[in-house]
Amino acid sequence: MGKHFDDAVGKGKEAFGKATGDRGTEAEGKVDQAKGQAKDAADQAKEKAEELKGRAAEAAESATERIKGAFDR
């Protein structure tokens, strides 16, 4: 299930639980929302890691080229 699905279902469960006085369903809704938020945070961390990996590779390539250039003189 996607993060948005978890969040939407969670909000629905929480609202239903509040409306009916069912604290268990309300709690399940909050858990579903937290799962959606956790998935979102994990996706953001993964994207940031990929970005940093790319930047590190570019920096390493640039440094390698500068070192090669220094020896070519």
Side-chain angles (χ1 to χ4, degrees):
M1 284 188 236
K3 60 188 172 221
H4 299 292
F5 182 79
D6 288 329
D7 190 48
V9 169
K11 286 180 181 177
K13 280 184 182 179
E14 181 182 6
F16 181 78
K18 283 182 181 180
T20 61
D22 183 346
R23 298 183 106 196
T25 300
E26 184 179 348
E28 284 180 29
K30 290 179 180 182
V31 168
D32 287 346
Q33 289 176 67
K35 284 185 353 186
Q37 292 170 357
K39 286 179 183 179
D40 188 40
D43 287 347
Q44 289 178 6
K46 182 178 177 182
E47 289 172 11
K48 189 64 173 177
E50 288 296 323
E51 177 187 328
L52 292 174
K53 178 182 170 184
R55 290 173 58 190
E58 290 172 6
E61 185 175 331
S62 176
T64 301
E65 291 301 317
R66 285 193 306 252
I67 291 168
K68 285 180 182 177
F71 285 107
D72 289 341
R73 293 182 190 167

